[in-house]
Amino acid sequence: MLGIFFLTSSLWSKFSSSSKHLLEDRLAKGSQRDWRQVAANGGIAAILGVIYPFYSHPAVLVGFAVALASSNSDTWASEIGPISKKRPVSLRTLKRVDKGTSGAVSLLGTGAALAGAFLIAAAGSYLFNLPLWEAALIFFCGFLGNLIDTLLGAYLQKLYLCESCGIQTEKPHHCGRDTKRIRGISFLDNDLVNFLSGVPAVILACAFIFLYQ
């Protein structure tokens, strides 16, 4: 399942990369992944994967799948959404904003998020012979993690303004100078948002399994 996540994420990041190069000015990082991005997207799943051989409770397995479904949902939305011909809508202002703006959604991106969560839920159901209701729980909580990510990006993630060119960006440096933080919590960057968004989704799924399994 980790392989499915990283393989599909890498493939989508390369897909139509030429049409997404204009987003580089807004995003803190491009398609090249570093250790912080890997940890943010796969860290929770990796921890639960290590725990499972020693504590093989169904909640740990479902939590593992939810963590991956949440990350996959967010990654697919981030990689596929910008290809949309229409500009996304900000959840904060309910107005159309430039592509690549954190906390904004599009119809194509939302569809991609649903598909990303569904793929992991289906893979988990097949590989581990999970019942249908557990697969549905993975799908629901996985997409919920993506929604939390979007809300955090809209309201709490830090955003900067380049006073040289006027662009709003996630980068602390732009046009050869420091940018000015105009919104968000100082320590809450995109990597931390990605990590934190999966936590409540995993907790909700695990709690449900503990209560009703």
Side-chain angles (χ1 to χ4, degrees):
M1 290 177 68
L2 278 167
I4 291 172
F5 165 60
F6 284 114
L7 177 62
T8 58
S9 297
S10 298
L11 289 175
W12 281 124
S13 68
K14 301 300 181 184
F15 179 73
S16 296
S17 58
S18 60
S19 66
K20 295 182 287 187
H21 73 280
L22 294 177
L23 303 182
E24 299 295 322
D25 275 344
R26 296 186 177 277
L27 302 178
K29 299 173 184 177
S31 59
Q32 192 70 31
R33 300 186 182 278
D34 59 19
W35 72 268
R36 294 188 76 235
Q37 286 174 294
V38 172
N41 287 282
I44 299 174
I47 292 171
L48 293 173
V50 171
I51 292 173
Y52 186 71
F54 304 97
Y55 182 63
S56 302
H57 193 281
V60 180
L61 178 58
V62 170
F64 168 82
V66 167
L68 285 183
S70 175
S71 294
N72 206 48
S73 180
D74 174 61
T75 300
W76 282 34
S78 299
E79 297 293 348
I80 301 173
I83 303 173
S84 174
K85 295 181 179 180
K86 293 184 177 180
R87 293 193 302 162
V89 175
S90 170
L91 292 184
R92 187 168 178 266
T93 64
L94 299 181
K95 295 180 180 179
R96 292 199 178 274
V97 293
D98 292 329
K99 295 179 180 179
T101 301
S102 295
V105 297
S106 66
L107 185 61
L108 179 62
T110 302
L114 289 166
F118 178 81
L119 175 65
I120 297 299
S125 178
Y126 175 77
L127 293 171
F128 296 99
N129 196 29
L130 300 178
L132 182 60
W133 72 271
E134 288 189 3
L137 180 65
I138 294 168
F139 169 68
F140 172 79
C141 290
F143 180 72
L144 176 64
N146 169 74
L147 179 59
I148 294 171
D149 183 284
T150 305
L151 290 171
L152 289 175
Y155 289 97
L156 299 179
Q157 182 178 332
K158 60 183 178 182
L159 184 67
Y160 298 95
L161 173 68
C162 177
E163 296 181 301
S164 294
C165 67
I167 194 173
Q168 293 185 3
T169 177
E170 297 176 0
K171 298 180 178 180
H173 308 284
H174 198 268
C175 292
R177 59 180 295 184
D178 292 342
T179 52
K180 179 182 178 181
R181 182 165 62 90
I182 57 174
R183 177 166 58 83
I185 301 173
S186 60
F187 61 84
L188 195 62
D189 61 7
N190 183 255
D191 288 333
L192 188 55
V193 165
N194 287 341
F195 180 81
L196 292 178
S197 62
V199 173
V202 170
I203 291 175
L204 177 63
C206 290
F208 193 91
I209 296 295
F210 274 119
L211 288 174
Y212 296 102
Q213 182 72 4

